[in-house]
Amino acid sequence: MAPRTPPPRTARAAAAVGILGLGRLGLLTALGLSAAGVGRLVLDDARHVTQHDLGLGGYGPRDVGTLRRVAAARLVAETTDAPWVRAAPARPHDVPFSLLDALVVVTDEDLAPDRAWRLMGERVPHLVARCRPDTVDVSPVVVPGRTPCLRCISLHTQDERGTDAFTASAWAPSASRAPVAATPDGPLLASAAAVVVTSAVLAFLDAGGVGADDTEPRWDLPCRSVVTSTHLTLPGARVQEERWPVHPACGCTGQGAVQSSSSAATA
């Protein structure tokens, strides 16, 4: 009997993943996803490649002055031999959310609440990597309606630590905030974080985030009431994880995860 679900590589080949932010971390994530067989990458970053972006396995001298989204798409095309992989630069700030199976946001700024709620409203599975000079905070993959969201995490940190800003880095462990002399988006930290981000996206896709023969995303993942964030800190790219449940005051569609878990427990 034929398997009911396609093998992971087939599911990956059918997937479309967007990446917003194409510094070292974003570019390495794009290259990792393409090497793993993700079929379509939509890349967006309005900034240009600078000398700071150059490094082993990333942008080269010829890319300096080129739009990041254009240079990144070219590098993906040059480094993959899988015929089904396609990478294309998005029009500026016009990533087609409705066509994506997952979106990765790589930022060195706080994530604006309206952007986060837009992703929730358009039901786009998303992961945020917040880069600072000494730390990268990687969110879980947020699946609207099935998992806790970024605001759930922010509300928990407000309850536990007094953090009141709704930001992409609000969940960072207080122990990781010690100042460390490092350049933003450093090569070691970016490489380690790219492994974490790429692995999380691939795990989501392989677990049922997309169907090989579907024209629409198919989220067959069970509802999850607890998710895990990852924090990488210099020196040494130390890794710390934290687990987060749905926050009862959030009101996000992740409340469905709690209801589903409760129903399963009483069945």
Side-chain angles (χ1 to χ4, degrees), residues 63-244:
D63 299 313
V64 174
T66 304
L67 283 171
R68 281 180 172 180
R69 61 176 179 269
V70 174
R74 181 175 61 208
L75 285 169
V76 169
E78 292 175 350
T79 56
T80 182
D81 56 3
W84 61 83
V85 173
R86 298 288 185 273
R91 290 179 294 175
H93 307 294
D94 191 26
V95 173
F97 290 157
S98 63
L99 302 181
L100 299 179
D101 298 291
L103 175 68
V104 176
V105 180
V106 182
T107 180
D108 55 7
E109 300 176 350
D110 294 338
L111 183 66
D114 58 346
R115 173 62 65 86
W117 282 114
R118 180 186 175 193
L119 296 177
M120 293 293 292
E122 298 195 27
R123 299 184 60 79
V124 183
H126 53 281
L127 176 152
V128 174
R130 170 66 157 89
C131 304
R132 290 176 290 149
D134 60 337
T135 305
V136 177
D137 304 320
V138 181
S139 83
V141 175
V142 175
V143 184
R146 294 183 179 272
T147 69
C149 70
L150 298 181
R151 187 166 184 266
C152 288
I153 296 174
S154 183
L155 288 171
H156 281 300
T157 59
Q158 180 178 350
D159 294 342
E160 299 168 8
R161 302 169 191 160
T163 303
D164 57 3
F166 178 46
T167 68
S169 59
W171 59 83
S174 56
S176 71
R177 296 190 182 277
V180 176
T183 57
D185 201 15
L188 173 62
L189 200 55
S191 297
V195 172
V196 173
V197 174
T198 302
S199 298
V201 174
L202 292 176
F204 166 70
L205 297 176
D206 291 349
V210 62
D213 299 321
D214 295 341
T215 57
E216 296 293 336
R218 176 178 58 82
W219 303 338
D220 286 348
L221 297 172
C223 290
R224 298 177 59 196
S225 58
V226 178
V227 293
T228 301
S229 60
T230 305
H231 320 282
L232 300 99
T233 309
L234 289 175
R238 293 172 296 178
V239 178
Q240 180 177 352
E241 293 185 340
E242 287 193 297
R243 291 167 59 82
W244 306 97

